[in-house]
Amino acid sequence: MSVLTSPRGKTEVVHCRRTESHDIYCIKNLIRKFTQKLFGRLNVIYLLEKANLAVTLCNDKEEIMAQATFVDYPNWNVARQDNWVPVFRELDSEIPCKPLNTLFMHLFVAVDEYSIGCCKEIIRSVFKAVPELHFLFLIVPSYMSLGSALITVFDHVGNVPSLTFEEDFAVYICHRHSHDPQLHIREARVEDHDDLMPIFMRHDTILKETYGEYFLAELIEAHDEENHAVVCEVEGTAVGFMSVCSRVNMQLLHECFDLRLYHGLCQPHPDDVLEPPQERIAQGSRDTESKSNSHASQKTVEEHQEPVYSDIMEIIQGTLAKDSGSQERLLTIRSECGSTMQAKEELSDISITEELRYDSSSSTFLQEEVGSFRPTYVGAAAAFCIQLFCIDEKHEARSLDFMNFVFSLFPDKNFCIISLPHLTPEFPLIQNFVRMVPFSNCILEQDLYVFHRAGLLKSINIRLASASDTPGVENLINTLLLNKSILKDLNQYNMAHRDPDGTPMKVFVAEVEEQIVGIAVLRNEMDIEYIRSHYNIEDFIYFTHHQREEHGHLYHFALNPAFRHYTKFFMKEILRLGFMSCLYYPIYPHCRHSQFQSPHAQSLTSALHYLVPVRPRRQIVYPLEKLGMNAPSKEVSKDLMCYALNHTNRKLTLEPKVTVNAKIVVVGASSVGISFLETLVFCPHLKFNNLTLISTHGLPGKNLLAAEERRFLASDHSFSDKDYALMSLCSWVNVVVGRMTGIDRAAKHVVVSHGEVVLYDHLVLCTGQQYQVPCPTGADISQHLTNREIPSSGKQRYTDIIPCNHFTLNDEEDCCKALAWIKNHSITTEGNVIVYGNTIDAYTTIEALLILGVSGSQIHLVQPPSSSTVTCINNYSVKITVMDALREAGVTIHQDALLAQWNDGQCPDPIRCASFTTPTKPFRLQCSLFFSFCEKNVDYETFKAFNDACLVYDGRLVIDTNFHTNDIAIRAAGPLTKFSNRYYSNEWTHSRFNSKEIGFHLAAAMLSLFDPTLAPVTEPPADLDRLIPMYKGPKIQGGILPGSYHYLHISKPAIPTPLEVQMTQPDFGLEIVTGTTKAGNYFRIHINKYNMVETITCLSKEPFPASNYIRLFGQHEQALNNLCARYKDQLIPDLYSYFMEPWCMAVFHDRFIDLRKDLRRILTSKEEEDLPSMEQLSRQIEDEEINLHETPRKYLQRVFQETIYKDLVEKSILDYLHYNHYHLPMYAWPGII
């Protein structure tokens, strides 16, 4: 916040922020004729799209006072975008301007009265926002004066000619030292105590309370060869302090952190042990092979700084490198003052070994293979540490100024390290450091950051590659698996500058002191129409303002870790030199190709965290044959391999991300847990470094299920294999494969099977409920007992050995194992299969068995007594059809049967027979395979972990409306939970709602802790904190039922009630039904009393586009082409055909909800001064404030037709159709006919 004073004495409190799209209107209003003469006639939207930095100055009322736009190349075309440096060096050779330290002002507007103060404030803010920036250039026609504002900050340098205009242009410069100068660093003196103590006290009082009032003076006086204290000063006043020490506990760091990236922070030594013995590697390989066959011993703790990535990544080979190569792993610079000459001589020793992380499929093997091995470093410590650091907030952007001086104090040290509590927000100094990967058994509750001496070099230069760079590139990438692919691309570029298929390509290298330290390979993005239609890229750019050739595809990126803080500069230069505005980087699912050298293999960029993940778009399932020539183009509708897309553009190159190091641990890969992680990952301005998922089988979706495997279980349509591929959560989330067995709330860690410990700051429990092994009642059927004669002992847990031919199917892994068992034991030809349960999964499993070839006569459906009056298929017609299909297939159905014994009470493994009791007489069945689908419940080990941790459990884990358990650090969501009894809503649990929506709201509740852009959460009023939240997303159930019927049921969240009871209610609404269940063309829609679609049920012999039908939920029937009126007029014989007609494609479109919101905004806003809004008119009619001589509907229709609202609504709809024409070409709009 700053205060501006106008010449007339008026004041305004102002603050700077990044320019946003909604500022454009105000910016245009501030443009004067003088502005156009200075900067030319500009398209503001286009300029903001191509700008590297745009800053808006607002007052405390959020009114725009000024705006400035900066680009990394000059305006007025005085020099080429990719070659402006020689022009300005020739103008004044004493100005060391270069792309790293220079920006050009392309626009400045301000409120006239405050223009001088606004200009100075914006310039000061820009220099603070970009620490590397030293020069701002302004270029205007030579005959123009700068005006009263700009002349106060810019000085004339000279004139240059234009490449396109005949006149000359004047060049002005603004220097950093005039506004935010570099800090003077010196050794601290005791006299600095009084200047520094207020700064310390503003941040923390613990040091003073612990060590006394004069702790700082004592620390300064205690300096020696190992300990130094330095300060930064401004105008003779100390404004920052740093205490450094060369004594570092290297043993502790080696035990807690993976430091192979920097050779253990030690000097290379001949006795270093950098690789495991060969026999140990061989033994580890055998152990891994045996362990992979044992479910009980599966465990993978994947420790990554930049988390697990997918199959296209580079596998680390540094751990297996030979000793001869290990000596060249690091840059070793010994310089008294960071001499660039010394750096130049030894820069070639830098290696990117271990910089790029490996993928999840490989990590299992490598961690087991060499995970227990830790390198041993014998050499002397090569690091010093920062013990204490503090700086005034006004100058914290210049924190890196300390580093040159402190490195000069330790000429024999190459690394500076600092450890911080992981909840400490990332500050400017740390943003230049590299965060180290902690081992899974790390005992420190802190993060370690490392800075290499070479990072001080400012001579980095990005340029197009040449043939002479090949040896340097080979030396840079020789440890990467895809080095041959990168070299092949480099040679192809040097020969032809394009691919063999004709695609233009570019290769850029990063050079420091004539040594290659980075490489990037790009091609023109040829599938940009596909990207636009399948990903929400327009969340980040105005697509129409970017030419086709400005979109680039990043294939390879490698940068020496010592220069990682230049990653964004590297990408900014790629865009400038390549005449591009956008870069795209895809991540393909690793399961698609087992070999890294696949057609889609690309080297993982270590810059992934500097890109933003792009959300995939929901696609319409088009009836292509019916649409014919009106179908979308093949560029839009083609079926490419799914991939997760990451992106950057010119606007994002100087946009910082907020780093969140809090350890967020999610237990359970349920739909709720995946939705929670998805929401966090796709926050573009946040970077979560410590997301961890604990799951029995890891991330779902890693196995591409075949059709027969997919049929076993019903689906809630939350996530599919395609959705997992489009998210690539493995790129951002560390995965611990195992089962949670304990929670230590005091130590804040989770205990996983086999004793691994996972630390957390926030624990999120989303384990859900699973089918459990049923516990036989033990009844002896020889005594002819009935269900009524069996004593009720409540729900007992099965504790005996689990039979090998007993299966409870809860996830894709269980389905794969069941299928393998069936195929390996000839179940399809002999033996009975018992399916025990009355859930929908029992029906889908029977259909899967029939498809696999199991005879219906071999299958027995045994249904236990139901505890509810509502069946899993709450539709009598559908249920009767399914039961008839079972009988036609020869399946035997036993109803109200309780499991009594396995193998007549003998050893149950394997199950050879099973006996049951019924309300009449018991029966006994031979059994080769037993599927159990009894009621779901919380797994016992999970319950025990909750109970031992003293979490309140009352049938389910108890939470409040903010997802909190009785421990503020532990949240829970999903079917696992129930609301506290104080809400008096025991029937309303998360299991009644859409799991994906629950996960989203769980993430939204937690984001308020980490996202500084969100408003603080306010406590609800006292009378509202006892209300549970009601979510609106539909509950969805689908699958393939016996008879090969494709089934889909969509309904609003509700307490289950029999359909027959619902239909007797006076406010039930209207039921629309076409077809019959027996014919396999049944389609039922329930329209509620508000004329909204509330329930959809489909039963069809043919597959149908379920994702389209899900979009119908919650729509008004008039939005569905007057559905009710057409049905009453008998114009809809078949709803399946009705929803394949071209008119409804817009309803299925993912942005239809945006159109609805825009139309509602129009109708609720007051568009004419002398007329209330349509919403206000409706309320006035309802309150009888208007005397009408016609029906309210006719009155509102007449007002709508006669006022501006009709034109506004039509314009909004036409704009929607025009903007989305690539998805909706079947619609016509004015101008195309």
Side-chain angles (χ1 to χ4, degrees):
M1 293 285 188
S2 300
V3 179
L4 302 183
T5 304
S6 73
R8 292 190 292 176
K10 294 183 179 180
T11 60
E12 287 280 3
V13 178
V14 297
H15 65 276
C16 269
R17 59 169 173 81
R18 300 294 175 116
T19 300
E20 300 173 2
S21 58
H22 58 75
D23 297 337
I24 293 173
Y25 177 78
C26 295
I27 294 172
K28 289 181 178 179
N29 289 338
L30 290 175
I31 294 179
R32 311 282 187 260
K33 289 185 177 180
F34 176 74
T35 309
Q36 294 180 346
K37 291 180 180 180
L38 278 182
F39 299 103
R41 297 176 64 87
L42 299 173
N43 182 327
V44 177
I45 300 177
Y46 179 84
L47 178 62
L48 293 178
E49 279 296 291
K50 301 303 175 70
N52 299 95
L53 181 63
V55 179
T56 297
L57 195 70
C58 300
N59 61 13
D60 52 359
K61 299 177 184 178
E62 285 301 314
E63 298 170 338
I64 294 179
M65 304 293 294
Q67 197 275 340
T69 306
F70 301 90
V71 186
D72 56 3
Y73 57 85
N75 54 343
W76 288 113
N77 205 19
V78 299
R80 281 176 53 87
Q81 172 178 323
D82 61 338
N83 193 32
W84 59 262
V85 175
V87 175
F88 286 80
R89 288 284 179 87
E90 183 180 344
L91 186 66
D92 190 339
S93 59
E94 295 184 359
I95 300 176
C97 59
K98 53 186 178 181
L100 178 64
N101 62 16
T102 304
L103 287 176
F104 297 83
M105 178 181 279
H106 281 224
L107 177 66
F108 173 77
V109 293
V111 175
D112 294 335
E113 190 173 357
Y114 296 92
S115 59
I116 296 177
C118 288
C119 183
K120 292 181 178 179
E121 183 63 26
I122 283 182
I123 295 296
R124 185 162 47 248
S125 298
V126 168
F127 279 122
K128 286 185 176 181
V130 189
E132 300 85 9
L133 184 65
H134 284 268
F135 307 106
L136 290 174
F137 281 102
L138 172 63
I139 302 167
V140 300
S142 56
Y143 61 85
M144 289 292 299
S145 63
L146 293 186
S148 59
L150 294 173
I151 196 65
T152 61
V153 296
F154 285 95
D155 300 316
H156 187 255
V157 179
N159 291 354
V160 294
S162 172
L163 300 179
T164 55
F165 301 96
E166 294 182 359
E167 58 188 294
D168 287 349
F169 288 82
V171 178
Y172 294 83
I173 191 171
C174 176
H175 295 270
R176 165 180 284 280
H177 59 70
S178 302
H179 300 274
D180 187 38
Q182 285 185 272
L183 302 176
H184 173 62
I185 312 297
R186 59 169 174 80
E187 291 268 11
R189 298 188 290 264
V190 176
E191 305 88 80
D192 298 321
H193 175 271
D194 293 343
D195 293 334
L196 295 171
M197 281 306 294
I199 302 175
F200 273 95
M201 292 301 102
R202 280 199 295 270
H203 290 86
D204 202 344
T205 60
I206 295 178
L207 288 172
K208 180 179 178 180
E209 295 168 358
T210 306
Y211 299 106
E213 184 174 357
Y214 299 102
F215 75 93
L216 191 59
E218 295 170 358
L219 183 62
I220 295 173
E221 285 184 325
H223 74 89
D224 52 30
E225 292 183 357
E226 294 181 336
N227 299 275
H228 295 274
V230 298
V231 297
C232 60
E233 66 175 14
V234 175
E235 297 178 354
T237 301
V239 296
F241 175 84
M242 180 181 287
S243 172
V244 291
C245 177
S246 61
R247 290 196 307 272
V248 178
N249 189 341
M250 299 305 298
Q251 181 180 353
L252 180 62
L253 296 183
H254 291 163
E255 291 174 355
C256 296
F257 297 95
D258 184 357
L259 301 176
R260 290 173 292 180
L261 180 64
Y262 290 120
H263 198 82
L265 303 178
C266 295
Q267 302 288 358
H269 191 278
D271 295 334
D272 291 339
V273 180
L274 304 176
E275 63 177 15
Q278 292 300 319
E279 61 273 12
R280 184 171 183 176
I281 296 178
Q283 180 62 40
S285 178
R286 290 192 295 270
D287 291 345
T288 302
E289 184 177 355
S290 63
K291 287 180 181 180
S292 65
N293 295 324
S294 172
H295 166 73
S297 63
Q298 272 192 330
K299 52 181 181 179
T300 306
V301 180
E302 295 162 339
E303 312 151 339
H304 300 304
Q305 169 193 354
E306 296 177 8
V308 185
Y309 302 129
S310 54
D311 189 42
I312 52 178
M313 308 181 185
E314 305 290 351
I315 290 185
I316 301 173
Q317 292 189 337
T319 53
L320 304 179
K322 295 184 178 180
D323 283 339
S324 59
S326 65
Q327 300 299 323
E328 298 180 354
R329 185 170 298 181
L330 298 170
L331 165 66
T332 305
I333 301 178
R334 295 182 177 85
S335 167
E336 293 295 325
C337 299
S339 167
T340 57
M341 290 302 295
Q342 291 265 4
K344 178 179 176 181
E345 292 173 3
E346 303 187 17
L347 196 56
S348 60
D349 289 340
I350 297 182
S351 168
I352 55 174
T353 301
E354 301 182 43
E355 162 66 352
L356 305 183
R357 314 309 297 176
Y358 43 82
D359 80 296
S360 56
S361 60
S362 301
S363 65
T364 303
F365 172 72
L366 289 179
Q367 288 293 102
E368 295 287 354
E369 180 181 277
V370 295
S372 59
F373 171 77
R374 303 280 175 85
T376 302
Y377 304 101
V378 182
F384 64 92
C385 65
I386 298 176
Q387 292 181 313
L388 193 60
F389 173 70
C390 191
I391 191 170
D392 192 293
E393 186 177 354
K394 295 180 182 178
H395 304 282
E396 65 177 352
R398 302 302 313 167
S399 300
L400 198 62
D401 293 346
F402 275 100
M403 301 310 295
N404 261 313
F405 189 87
V406 295
F407 268 108
S408 69
L409 299 175
F410 302 105
D412 60 332
K413 307 293 185 184
N414 295 324
F415 305 98
C416 176
I417 65 174
I418 183 172
S419 64
L420 297 169
H422 46 254
L423 293 181
T424 303
E426 199 171 74
F427 46 92
L429 178 66
I430 290 302
Q431 292 171 1
N432 297 281
F433 283 58
V434 177
R435 179 175 166 272
M436 291 290 97
V437 183
F439 288 126
S440 60
N441 61 347
C442 177
I443 61 175
L444 295 179
E445 295 185 0
Q446 294 186 322
D447 290 316
L448 179 67
Y449 294 84
V450 176
F451 184 87
H452 197 285
R453 181 188 292 268
L456 296 172
L457 298 173
K458 303 292 184 183
S459 57
I460 187 169
N461 178 45
I462 314 299
R463 58 173 175 79
L464 287 167
S466 63
S468 61
D469 295 324
T470 302
V473 172
E474 287 180 344
N475 183 55
L476 174 74
I477 65 173
N478 60 6
T479 58
L480 302 184
L481 185 68
L482 287 184
N483 54 5
K484 293 181 180 179
S485 177
I486 298 174
L487 290 174
K488 181 181 178 181
D489 285 340
L490 176 60
N491 293 333
Q492 179 67 31
Y493 169 76
N494 287 328
M495 285 191 301
H497 285 205
R498 58 183 62 240
D499 268 345
D501 63 0
T503 305
M505 64 181 300
K506 294 181 176 68
V507 179
F508 297 92
V509 294
E511 188 179 47
V512 175
E513 300 298 332
E514 301 180 3
Q515 300 292 332
I516 303 298
V517 299
I519 183 172
V521 178
L522 288 83
R523 291 170 173 81
N524 283 15
E525 180 53 74
M526 305 306 292
D527 288 322
I528 191 59
E529 291 86 2
Y530 179 88
I531 286 178
R532 183 191 186 189
S533 61
H534 284 71
Y535 298 88
N536 276 305
I537 192 63
E538 286 162 308
D539 287 348
F540 304 99
I541 63 173
Y542 281 98
F543 188 84
T544 54
H545 289 279
H546 299 262
Q547 301 299 316
R548 181 183 180 88
E549 60 273 11
E550 290 183 306
H551 298 276
H553 184 124
L554 182 62
Y555 272 78
H556 302 288
F557 185 102
L559 183 63
N560 190 290
F563 303 99
R564 184 187 291 182
H565 53 292
Y566 288 130
T567 299
K568 297 189 83 169
F569 170 68
F570 196 170
M571 291 190 289
K572 181 171 78 74
E573 283 295 275
I574 287 173
L575 295 173
R576 180 180 70 87
L577 298 174
F579 293 89
M580 293 181 175
S581 57
C582 302
L583 287 180
Y584 304 93
Y585 180 76
I587 298 179
Y588 291 90
H590 69 275
C591 53
R592 303 300 174 103
H593 290 278
S594 59
Q595 298 297 321
F596 285 90
Q597 303 291 350
S598 70
H600 301 281
Q602 302 172 29
S603 62
L604 176 76
T605 166
S606 57
L608 188 61
H609 273 305
Y610 298 96
L611 307 174
V612 292
V614 185
R615 277 189 179 275
R617 295 180 62 179
R618 186 184 64 254
Q619 297 299 302
I620 302 172
V621 180
Y622 294 99
L624 296 177
E625 293 184 4
K626 192 166 187 176
L627 291 174
M629 62 180 295
N630 291 324
S633 68
K634 292 183 179 180
E635 292 298 323
V636 172
S637 60
K638 63 184 177 182
D639 187 19
L640 295 181
M641 178 184 292
C642 297
Y643 57 82
L645 185 68
N646 298 276
H647 164 77
T648 192
N649 58 59
R650 297 184 64 86
K651 293 183 294 185
L652 297 177
T653 52
L654 295 177
E655 183 79 25
K657 282 188 176 184
V658 177
T659 300
V660 180
N661 285 329
K663 295 183 176 181
I664 302 173
V665 176
V666 179
V667 182
S670 62
S671 296
V672 175
I674 297 300
S675 177
F676 170 80
L677 291 170
E678 176 197 27
T679 306
L680 296 188
V681 163
F682 281 98
C683 290
H685 56 288
L686 300 179
K687 180 177 74 171
F688 289 91
N689 280 333
N690 279 321
L691 291 177
T692 301
L693 173 68
I694 301 175
S695 173
T696 308
H697 302 299
L699 278 170
K702 59 181 180 293
N703 298 321
L704 289 182
L705 299 185
E708 61 267 20
E709 295 165 331
R710 196 178 308 281
R711 286 174 179 261
F712 274 102
L713 294 177
S715 170
D716 65 357
H717 289 268
S718 292
F719 298 100
S720 64
D721 286 346
K722 183 177 180 179
D723 295 325
Y724 294 124
L726 292 171
M727 288 188 293
S728 186
L729 287 181
C730 56
S731 301
W732 311 97
V733 179
N734 299 307
V735 179
V736 178
V737 177
R739 187 185 296 271
M740 178 184 69
T741 59
I743 303 173
D744 190 326
R745 291 168 53 189
K748 299 188 80 169
H749 69 238
V750 174
V751 181
V752 187
S753 50
H754 300 284
E756 289 95 347
V757 170
V758 181
L759 300 176
Y760 70 84
D761 296 308
H762 302 277
L763 181 61
V764 179
L765 302 172
C766 304
T767 56
Q769 294 183 321
Q770 295 78 35
Y771 292 116
Q772 306 296 321
V773 179
C775 184
T777 61
D780 186 357
I781 65 171
S782 62
Q783 300 180 14
H784 301 284
L785 299 176
T786 64
N787 290 349
R788 184 177 299 178
E789 296 170 304
I790 297 173
S792 175
S793 56
K795 295 181 180 179
Q796 291 187 341
R797 184 173 67 90
Y798 181 79
T799 57
D800 205 346
I801 184 172
I802 298 177
C804 63
N805 58 341
H806 176 279
F807 290 93
T808 53
L809 305 184
N810 290 298
D811 52 37
E812 60 184 35
E813 294 284 343
D814 294 338
C815 296
C816 291
K817 291 178 182 178
L819 180 62
W821 202 94
I822 291 171
K823 291 181 177 180
N824 293 334
H825 291 79
S826 304
I827 297 299
T828 56
T829 58
E830 57 185 22
N832 283 346
V833 179
I834 297 177
V835 180
Y836 183 57
N838 49 21
T839 65
I840 190 171
D841 292 318
Y843 294 112
T844 55
T845 295
I846 291 175
E847 171 63 13
L849 293 171
L850 293 172
I851 294 298
L852 286 172
V854 180
S855 172
S857 60
Q858 297 176 246
I859 303 175
H860 293 262
L861 173 60
V862 182
Q863 296 183 316
S866 177
S867 58
S868 171
T869 58
V870 182
T871 62
C872 62
I873 302 176
N874 191 14
N875 185 307
Y876 180 77
S877 178
V878 174
K879 182 178 179 182
I880 289 299
T881 300
V882 172
M883 301 303 283
D884 289 343
L886 287 172
R887 294 186 182 96
E888 289 176 8
V891 177
T892 306
I893 303 173
H894 308 270
Q895 295 183 335
D896 295 331
L898 282 173
L899 176 63
Q901 288 181 334
W902 281 322
N903 297 344
D904 298 324
Q906 303 301 313
C907 177
D909 189 21
I911 301 174
R912 292 182 295 275
C913 67
S915 53
F916 301 86
T917 58
T918 69
T920 55
K921 62 179 181 179
F923 63 92
R924 183 173 180 272
L925 297 174
Q926 296 299 314
C927 179
S928 297
L929 183 61
F930 194 104
F931 287 97
S932 176
F933 295 103
C934 290
E935 185 179 359
K936 290 186 175 182
N937 210 332
V938 177
D939 179 77
Y940 175 74
E941 287 188 359
T942 304
F943 160 74
K944 189 173 185 303
F946 297 158
N947 191 61
D948 293 346
C950 296
L951 296 178
V952 177
Y953 192 91
D954 180 16
R956 300 186 188 184
L957 189 60
V958 176
I959 60 170
D960 64 13
T961 55
N962 290 318
F963 305 96
H964 285 115
T965 63
N966 56 303
D967 187 324
I968 195 67
I970 301 178
R971 289 172 168 83
L976 161 75
T977 64
K978 62 168 288 188
F979 290 111
S980 172
N981 287 336
R982 66 191 178 98
Y983 297 107
Y984 299 98
S985 299
N986 287 339
E987 289 187 319
W988 284 103
T989 66
H990 283 177
S991 61
R992 306 291 189 208
F993 301 103
N994 184 293
S995 295
K996 192 171 183 179
E997 186 181 15
I998 292 289
F1000 170 80
H1001 284 281
L1002 171 62
M1006 287 196 65
L1007 278 175
S1008 60
L1009 302 174
F1010 311 115
D1011 192 346
T1013 65
L1014 297 178
V1017 178
T1018 57
E1019 291 293 329
D1023 56 340
L1024 293 181
D1025 66 349
R1026 296 298 177 91
L1027 298 178
I1028 65 170
M1030 298 300 290
Y1031 305 104
K1032 298 180 180 180
K1035 284 287 289 182
I1036 306 170
Q1037 194 175 54
I1040 303 178
L1041 301 180
S1044 294
Y1045 288 104
H1046 296 263
Y1047 174 70
L1048 177 69
H1049 182 70
I1050 306 166
S1051 62
K1052 73 171 186 178
I1055 297 172
T1057 306
L1059 178 60
E1060 294 76 13
V1061 176
Q1062 297 177 33
M1063 297 180 67
T1064 60
Q1065 301 302 312
D1067 59 351
F1068 173 72
L1070 175 67
E1071 182 184 51
I1072 297 177
V1073 179
T1074 63
T1076 64
T1077 55
K1078 192 68 176 177
N1081 60 352
Y1082 179 81
F1083 200 128
R1084 175 184 178 271
I1085 293 181
H1086 168 217
I1087 307 294
N1088 67 14
K1089 63 180 180 179
Y1090 303 109
N1091 292 332
M1092 310 291 285
V1093 176
E1094 190 169 281
T1095 309
I1096 301 170
T1097 305
C1098 301
L1099 190 73
S1100 172
K1101 282 284 190 178
E1102 299 296 328
F1104 50 78
S1107 60
N1108 284 1
Y1109 298 161
I1110 292 171
R1111 299 304 111 207
L1112 299 175
F1113 177 83
Q1115 301 289 351
H1116 196 281
E1117 59 89 13
Q1118 290 186 345
L1120 304 180
N1121 209 5
N1122 292 315
L1123 176 65
C1124 293
R1126 289 175 181 271
Y1127 181 73
K1128 290 177 181 178
D1129 293 340
Q1130 298 183 352
L1131 298 177
I1132 306 177
D1134 179 22
L1135 283 171
Y1136 289 103
S1137 298
Y1138 184 71
F1139 290 119
M1140 290 177 65
E1141 294 176 6
W1143 64 264
C1144 62
M1145 296 299 111
V1147 179
F1148 300 147
H1149 195 265
D1150 64 326
R1151 292 177 180 165
F1152 185 69
I1153 187 174
D1154 298 329
L1155 173 64
R1156 290 177 55 183
K1157 290 178 180 178
D1158 190 48
L1159 295 180
R1160 177 169 179 77
R1161 179 191 59 79
I1162 292 172
L1163 296 177
T1164 56
S1165 61
K1166 188 175 180 179
E1167 300 293 343
E1168 294 186 6
E1169 292 185 4
D1170 57 343
L1171 186 69
S1173 69
M1174 297 299 295
E1175 184 182 48
Q1176 289 171 336
L1177 278 176
S1178 301
R1179 294 185 183 278
Q1180 290 174 4
I1181 294 173
E1182 186 178 356
D1183 296 339
E1184 299 182 351
E1185 297 178 6
I1186 301 177
N1187 294 321
L1188 298 178
H1189 302 290
E1190 55 188 329
T1191 64
R1193 179 182 292 274
K1194 287 185 177 180
Y1195 172 75
L1196 291 174
Q1197 287 178 342
R1198 181 171 57 81
V1199 173
F1200 177 78
Q1201 294 283 343
E1202 295 174 355
T1203 59
I1204 194 175
Y1205 290 104
K1206 180 176 182 293
D1207 293 335
L1208 292 176
V1209 167
E1210 288 181 351
K1211 182 179 184 302
S1212 176
I1213 294 173
L1214 291 174
D1215 287 346
Y1216 164 77
L1217 294 175
H1218 184 267
Y1219 192 74
N1220 297 288
H1221 68 277
Y1222 51 89
H1223 271 150
L1224 304 171
M1226 65 289 301
Y1227 290 87
W1229 64 87
I1232 71 165
I1233 300 177

